[in-house]
Amino acid sequence: MRFSAAFFQVLKGRWFTNIWKKKSKYVEPSVNASVDVLEEAAHPIQDAMDFVKISWPEEEKWQPPVKDDPRWQHWFPVGPRDSPDWHEEPVFKITHATRLLEGTIQASILTKSVLRDGLPDVIKDKIGHYTILDQDELVQRCIMQANVWDPSEDKLPKRTNPRLQTWKFKREFGIKYADQIRILLQNLIRLCHTTAGSHQGFLSRYRLTRNHVLHSNYNFNKLPIHIEAECPWIVSSHRGLKAYVDENLVDQTAMEKIADIFPISPMIELKKTNLYKAVPYITGWKVGFPFNKVHTLFVGSDNYWTNDQRAATALLFCHGHAVAQAKDTFGQDVVNLPHPITTQCIATDGKVFNLICYQLNTLNISSPDGIKNIAWIDTDLEMYKKILPNRAMLKWTKYDDYNHTVFQKILAMYLNGLDY
């Protein structure tokens, strides 16, 4: 193709593109010799690959000095069957990503529990009894620190408004949703710790553990269930909490019936997996650690589930910790507990809190008869309202309607057990 002055006087964009695609490629013509001609010349036809014999020396496959070195994982991929946690018999696994669509009703079936609205009387009597100097002002500062005052400048996801489909929001930088929950929980725990000076023996009885992981196994209708509970913070003690109710009220639960979601199976959202820890339980603490009794779990959820579904996950985590503690205390084959095991959980999405108190009375989960476990759930506790602007940027977000009773309940649960 000749590039001349006359050629460039006319706009030939598409024509030039098509011609260039065709003319720029050189196709080598194939030369096919006639088979008849070769046979007449008494030349036998043979495959060319029979004459080309290249033998490459076999080299040993290089192995890294440390087999589990993460720098060479893409060179030596490890399949699920190569993992030491692989087992031929699958189990139903529950994690923080397990979403129960039926919420706490479905969780009560999996744990053989009867539900109670509100908090136990032991904790209700302590609401408002423990206070901190300038408590409401400090809690509001914790809220602002988590949502506004933190200096993080992370790239936030693009906002959408269903009512304004054509509105295009600007790219914004600030505090991520998961970091808002983490900062708020951390500040509230630190605020609860400030009461240690006015309570004798507080620091010597409790320990705060971060990023705690639990593995617990139990059977439901002869099907194995594995609970893997990851908690950003957990408060433990050298002795467990007392039972919320006495033996008479526990015996009365044998007359109550557990809710049913028939014809749906309560295990419909549980995923089968062959990767799990094949041990009865892993408490998450080293052997000999004196503060191995669970007191309170703190769980943060940055998903968009309903509050009832978040409370269901917290209830399952309480059950998993109680089962592991019961097996660690009374033995792996225990079914009828000498005394109940109690746990507490504070779950939040950064704005709404769910408070769960759980009492494990039996490990006979497969049978619907007999005494049952008890779960107290106080849900939909909105600490404040977060009013997002319709079109403006997030820096114009308003925070209103602070509810001071939410932190009073959290403080009462945190200080539960100091009077014995």
Side-chain angles (χ1 to χ4, degrees):
M1 184 179 296
R2 184 179 179 183
F3 297 95
S4 60
F7 177 79
F8 287 104
Q9 289 180 359
V10 183
L11 297 177
K12 301 178 180 180
R14 295 184 179 177
W15 174 83
F16 177 80
T17 303
N18 295 331
I19 294 298
W20 186 262
K21 287 182 179 179
K22 297 178 181 179
K23 302 287 181 154
S24 62
K25 297 180 181 179
Y26 174 74
V27 181
E28 183 179 0
S30 59
V31 179
N32 297 324
S34 176
V35 179
D36 298 334
V37 175
L38 293 176
E39 291 180 351
E40 292 177 359
H43 292 288
I45 302 175
Q46 296 182 2
D47 189 1
M49 297 303 297
D50 296 339
F51 297 92
V52 182
K53 296 181 180 180
I54 302 176
S55 60
W56 299 97
E58 295 183 1
E59 298 181 358
E60 295 183 1
K61 188 177 181 181
W62 179 81
Q63 296 291 340
V66 182
K67 293 185 178 181
D68 57 349
D69 193 334
R71 295 177 298 176
W72 313 106
Q73 288 182 356
H74 62 286
W75 292 100
F76 304 95
V78 179
R81 291 183 175 272
D82 299 330
S83 175
D85 295 333
W86 173 269
H87 303 87
E88 295 297 333
E89 297 181 0
V91 299
F92 294 89
K93 197 171 186 178
I94 296 175
T95 63
H96 67 282
T98 303
R99 182 181 183 180
L100 302 182
L101 296 181
E102 295 297 329
T104 54
I105 297 178
Q106 187 173 352
S108 65
I109 301 173
L110 294 174
T111 59
K112 192 183 177 181
S113 304
V114 291
L115 302 179
R116 301 282 189 268
D117 293 333
L119 296 174
D121 295 335
V122 179
I123 298 179
K124 284 183 178 180
D125 298 338
K126 299 177 181 179
I127 297 176
H129 180 70
Y130 302 111
T131 57
I132 304 173
L133 184 63
D134 300 331
Q135 176 174 300
D136 294 338
E137 181 181 356
L138 293 175
V139 175
Q140 294 180 36
R141 284 178 173 270
C142 293
I143 296 172
M144 297 304 295
Q145 171 69 22
N147 292 274
V148 181
W149 295 345
D150 191 80
S152 301
E153 288 293 336
D154 298 320
K155 188 177 181 180
L156 303 179
K158 292 294 290 291
R159 292 173 56 198
T160 57
N161 192 341
R163 298 181 180 179
L164 302 173
Q165 296 287 347
T166 59
W167 184 262
K168 184 178 180 181
F169 290 93
K170 296 181 179 179
R171 174 63 68 184
E172 297 185 68
F173 297 83
I175 311 171
K176 290 183 178 180
Y177 185 26
D179 292 338
Q180 293 177 6
I181 302 172
R182 175 183 57 82
I183 296 171
L184 179 61
L185 277 177
Q186 185 175 357
N187 290 337
L188 294 180
I189 293 172
R190 183 183 60 184
L191 196 59
C192 293
H193 267 292
T194 58
T195 60
S198 57
H199 296 87
Q200 185 178 3
F202 180 88
L203 297 177
S204 61
R205 294 179 57 179
Y206 296 120
R207 288 294 182 271
L208 180 64
T209 307
R210 187 172 181 180
N211 297 331
H212 183 272
V213 181
L214 167 89
H215 295 271
S216 180
N217 296 312
Y218 75 99
N219 293 328
F220 174 77
N221 292 340
K222 298 182 180 181
L223 296 176
I225 295 180
H226 178 84
I227 298 179
E228 182 180 339
E230 299 180 8
C231 299
W233 286 277
I234 180 173
V235 178
S236 60
S237 176
H238 66 278
R239 58 182 179 183
L241 293 169
K242 286 186 177 180
Y244 296 117
V245 294
D246 55 9
E247 295 183 0
N248 295 329
L249 294 178
V250 172
D251 295 337
Q252 292 178 8
T253 59
M255 306 301 295
E256 300 185 37
K257 293 184 179 180
I258 302 176
D260 192 9
I261 57 174
F262 182 82
I264 302 175
S265 172
M267 305 178 66
I268 187 172
E269 281 88 19
L270 275 61
K271 295 183 179 180
K272 270 188 177 182
T273 180
N274 296 84
L275 293 173
Y276 59 91
K277 300 290 184 181
V279 292
Y281 62 92
I282 297 179
T283 58
W285 290 291
K286 294 183 178 180
V287 178
F289 182 65
F291 303 91
N292 58 354
K293 301 296 188 298
V294 180
H295 185 277
T296 304
L297 311 176
F298 290 89
V299 180
S301 303
D302 59 346
N303 47 48
Y304 295 94
W305 301 354
T306 63
N307 293 323
D308 191 54
Q309 293 170 353
R310 296 192 187 100
T313 304
L315 175 57
L316 292 174
F317 282 8
C318 288
H319 177 75
H321 279 273
V323 169
Q325 183 174 330
K327 292 182 178 181
D328 186 56
T329 305
F330 308 119
Q332 300 180 5
D333 300 329
V334 64
V335 177
N336 299 319
L337 306 182
H339 61 81
I341 302 295
T342 57
T343 55
Q344 302 176 159
C345 183
I346 299 174
T348 181
D349 64 344
K351 185 177 62 175
V352 181
F353 284 79
N354 300 313
L355 309 181
I356 294 91
C357 296
Y358 185 73
Q359 179 170 321
L360 182 69
N361 301 318
T362 179
L363 283 177
N364 186 15
I365 310 297
S366 299
S367 175
D369 302 327
I371 62 173
K372 301 171 181 63
N373 306 314
I374 308 176
W376 291 265
I377 300 177
D378 195 358
T379 185
D380 295 334
L381 300 176
E382 191 174 20
M383 181 174 282
Y384 62 95
K385 288 186 178 180
K386 191 174 183 178
I387 305 174
L388 298 176
N390 289 329
R391 292 183 175 87
M393 302 183 71
L394 290 176
K395 64 181 180 180
W396 302 110
T397 303
K398 296 181 180 180
Y399 303 90
D400 199 2
D401 294 343
Y402 167 71
N403 187 2
H404 66 279
T405 59
V406 178
F407 183 74
Q408 291 180 357
K409 294 180 179 181
I410 294 175
L411 187 61
M413 292 181 62
Y414 194 87
L415 299 178
N416 182 27
L418 284 177
D419 51 353
Y420 55 86

